[in-house]
Amino acid sequence: MAAPVPSVTPSRTSGRVPLGVFFDATGTTDADVNAFRDLYYQWSFGDSGAGTWEYGANTAMPKNGATGPMAGHVYETAGTYQWSNLVYDGTTAIITVGTITASDWPNDANTVCIGNTLPVAGVNGVPSNATCVASSDFDAAVAANIGTNKRLLFNRVDTFPSSAAAVLTTTGPAMIGGYGAGTAPLITSSSISGVIRLSTAAADIRIGKLEITGAGAADTGAAITIEAAAVSDITILEPVIHNIGKGIIVTGSGENALVDSVIQGASIYDIQAASGGVGIFGKFVTTAILGNSVGPFATAAEHNIRVQPGQKVVVSNNTATTPGDTGKCCLTIRAGEHSTAGDPDPVYDTQYVYFSDNKLIYPRGGAVGAQPLEISPASTSQNNWISDVIGERNIVQARASAATSSEGAKVSASRVTLRNNLFDMSGSPSGMTGVSVQYTNVAGAPVPDDVRILNNTMYAGTSAGSFVGVDIDTEPTATVVNNNIAYAPSSVSRDMISGTGTSPGSLTNNSSDAQVLTDPLFTGPLTSPQGFRFATTSYAQNAGTALFPTGYADFYNADDVTANVAIGAFVPRVRASSKGVAA
């Protein structure tokens, strides 16, 4: 058996804090398996003081680590950090290391402190050598002071109206943030095209801890807009965005892009716009979307997080809830219109997306076909090519009204792996489907191929409708459905797997149709993910086959080296306890 050959590249190795870095191991190769989806990757960023995630499926997870073939991290404190990447094929583990140097901003006149009344150097958090400016106009203050090596800090207790866009064309380092006590400077806008717009040549910019609010139901503007072809090395850290038309968006149909960047810790809610009212949206390239809270939205708005298109994108540790219009989703992965021969089209196709440890909550009745998670073209009129997607350790909660059905995830793409996820459809009064593998029938679009649904847990509680664990359309090829567990004790009819597609792959070691009614002995309570661990006497224990490098194929994904041969996403209680998972 050949060992993996790692190739690990950070987007940058030095810069000023807060420093967002994208880590890319997609160049790793292995002669025996698909290196992107069949190897185990574990990251340490060398930042032990980074804390834990506030949102997502497991808030005990440290920010200092990650899994998957790509990752992102924000270094918030100056220092030199040694990062490491372990790649493991089940036999051989190879570690790659490197360093990141994050530097502080110098205490000089290039730090500009802005308050409604004139700040005083050395007082209230104003650096002793800062330039002090009195202003109540956000966009005017930015236009007059932004530039290379400039750090603009607004007083956290003040309000700054924005009557026009603050357009950034700066090649940094540059930063917009806050100073003093309090939560964040308040930026108010009135449906302008974009409160902050990152335009041509914008690079190496930090936007940190601002509160941006709009004009309410009539607002169609955006808080932060990326409007150029390669806006790069942007760190967006912990903004609060609400009561506005749109959140953080990339404009255009695929030409503009956010590259080598990190969006982390944003709180985005009360998005309003009926057209394009999305929380985080657009073309992302080597970019990580981490630890954000997105939603709830006004009923006229759209998706919480929508990648369209994406090339090397990480979406992890986010909570996305209550998208707007009932046909929209919590996490949507789409592509642009495929325009060139071959696969992939480097501009409009989507390839290499890793999403993990998210909590996707769809709590209200939705239209037929709406679901928390969609990896699919928007319609049969779109020739979208989507491939090489991994989703693991996500909690997906789907609900529906009495007149409609609930669906956890829709997949119309190739080389997609969904493993170790919880699909919770409890409370749905109508039909329930965990994962649907479909073909969006468009001339030229590839038929979904090699979709793998592995070690997932599907639960329908007291829901009395029909239940389908995995529904496979007639066209998809080589679909693999292995090691999944389902429990729908009140369902009126049930199929663990409905359909096989064309030339099906392995469909083994799943709950049988009869076992869908059988209590797998979840330890409970089922109001938290820990409750979905099962007792060691469960029929799920030792009912499967290890499908991933030994010891890394369960929901909690820690350091247990016991091969996972259970079905479902959750390990037995005794193993979870040995990993330090809270009861």
Side-chain angles (χ1 to χ4, degrees):
M1 184 176 183
V5 180
S7 174
V8 188
T9 306
S11 59
R12 49 183 170 176
T13 58
S14 63
R16 291 184 182 166
V17 295
L19 182 67
V21 181
F22 186 87
F23 293 87
D24 181 8
T26 59
T28 298
T29 59
D30 191 294
D32 302 307
V33 296
N34 181 302
F36 179 76
R37 64 201 300 211
D38 295 329
L39 298 177
Y40 173 74
Y41 300 83
Q42 180 172 292
W43 302 87
S44 173
F45 305 117
D47 188 5
S48 59
T52 58
W53 293 108
E54 184 177 358
Y55 304 110
N58 188 347
T59 54
M61 292 185 68
K63 294 179 182 178
N64 188 38
T67 59
M70 306 169 292
H73 186 70
V74 176
Y75 294 93
E76 298 187 51
T77 304
T80 298
Y81 301 88
Q82 180 171 289
W83 60 265
S84 65
N85 170 263
L86 176 148
V87 59
Y88 181 54
D89 64 358
T91 301
T92 304
I94 300 175
I95 296 176
T96 303
V97 299
T99 58
I100 302 291
T101 302
S103 57
D104 213 340
W105 293 81
N107 182 8
D108 59 23
N110 282 329
T111 291
V112 181
C113 291
I114 304 162
N116 293 167
T117 59
L118 187 67
V120 178
V123 177
N124 189 32
V126 177
S128 58
N129 294 317
T131 299
C132 296
V133 173
S135 176
S136 297
D137 189 323
F138 177 74
D139 52 279
V142 172
N145 293 286
I146 197 69
T148 302
N149 290 316
K150 299 294 283 290
R151 178 172 61 153
L152 276 56
L153 304 180
F154 290 81
N155 193 355
R156 288 192 171 97
V157 299
D158 288 342
T159 297
F160 300 88
S162 182
S163 58
V167 180
L168 306 185
T169 59
T170 301
T171 299
M175 177 176 173
I176 301 175
Y179 75 86
T183 52
L186 178 61
I187 317 301
T188 60
S189 73
S190 301
S191 198
I192 57 180
S193 59
V195 178
I196 299 173
R197 289 163 52 189
L198 299 167
S199 193
T200 303
D204 197 12
I205 295 172
R206 297 130 189 87
I207 300 172
K209 303 183 182 180
L210 305 175
E211 180 176 358
I212 302 174
T213 184
D219 202 311
T220 59
I224 301 173
T225 303
I226 292 88
E227 55 182 17
V231 174
S232 63
D233 292 311
I234 307 299
T235 302
I236 300 175
L237 182 63
E238 299 180 14
V240 178
I241 297 169
H242 60 98
N243 210 36
I244 196 167
K246 306 166 188 177
I248 302 170
I249 66 167
V250 183
T251 62
S253 58
E255 297 84 358
N256 297 340
L258 183 62
V259 181
D260 289 346
S261 298
V262 180
I263 301 171
Q264 179 172 307
S267 177
I268 304 173
Y269 59 95
D270 286 346
I271 294 299
Q272 300 287 336
S275 176
V278 176
I280 299 175
F281 163 79
K283 181 178 181 179
F284 302 102
V285 179
T286 51
T287 288
I289 300 168
L290 306 174
N292 304 284
S293 173
V294 190
F297 289 174
T299 55
E302 295 192 9
H303 307 261
N304 295 120
I305 301 172
R306 177 170 153 190
V307 176
Q308 185 175 347
Q311 286 121 30
K312 300 183 182 179
V313 184
V314 174
V315 183
S316 295
N317 302 100
N318 304 280
T319 295
T321 180
T322 321
D325 181 274
T326 53
K328 309 307 178 182
C329 307
C330 300
L331 174 60
T332 306
I333 300 169
R334 293 182 180 163
E337 193 72 9
H338 184 80
S339 64
T340 62
D343 180 6
D345 174 340
V347 177
Y348 298 110
D349 289 357
T350 288
Q351 186 178 33
Y352 300 129
V353 178
Y354 177 76
F355 65 96
S356 72
D357 307 291
N358 301 288
K359 192 170 185 178
L360 310 177
I361 309 170
Y362 201 120
R364 62 188 177 208
V368 174
Q371 54 278 312
L373 172 61
E374 180 180 271
I375 310 168
S376 172
S379 70
T380 57
S381 64
Q382 298 189 16
N383 184 5
N384 288 181
W385 290 33
I386 306 168
S387 63
D388 299 294
V389 178
I390 298 171
E392 60 185 0
R393 299 187 309 275
N394 301 282
I395 298 174
V396 181
Q397 294 182 349
R399 304 290 187 269
S401 64
T404 60
S405 59
S406 65
E407 187 173 76
K410 173 184 175 183
V411 177
S412 183
S414 293
R415 299 189 300 278
V416 174
T417 299
L418 296 180
R419 63 186 175 221
N420 305 308
N421 302 286
L422 168 63
F423 295 94
D424 179 1
M425 294 164 286
S426 53
S428 296
S430 189
M432 301 155 286
T433 301
V435 179
S436 175
V437 183
Q438 301 182 7
Y439 175 46
T440 302
N441 188 15
V442 177
V447 172
D449 178 63
D450 194 12
V451 174
R452 304 180 190 178
I453 314 298
L454 311 175
N455 279 93
N456 299 283
T457 293
M458 301 169 185
Y459 173 66
T462 59
S463 301
S466 60
F467 173 86
V468 177
V470 180
D471 184 30
I472 307 172
D473 209 348
T474 56
E475 296 91 351
T477 56
T479 304
V480 173
V481 184
N482 287 345
N483 286 12
N484 300 279
I485 191 170
Y487 184 42
S490 300
S491 56
V492 295
S493 64
R494 62 217 58 84
D495 291 291
M496 183 63 214
I497 302 173
S498 177
T500 61
T502 302
S503 304
S506 176
L507 307 171
T508 59
N509 298 329
N510 305 287
S511 296
S512 67
D513 294 349
Q515 285 173 330
V516 171
L517 296 174
T518 302
D519 186 354
L521 304 181
F522 292 135
T523 58
L526 302 185
T527 54
S528 71
Q530 287 84 357
F532 286 89
R533 297 171 301 187
F534 46 79
T536 54
T537 53
S538 169
Y539 78 83
Q541 175 69 349
N542 298 317
T545 302
L547 301 174
F548 198 56
T550 302
Y552 299 105
D554 62 67
F555 189 87
Y556 290 107
N557 182 63
D559 55 3
D560 194 309
V561 295
T562 305
N564 180 5
V565 293
I567 64 174
F570 292 84
V571 297
R573 190 179 188 93
V574 63
R575 285 186 56 203
S577 298
S578 74
K579 294 181 175 190
V581 176

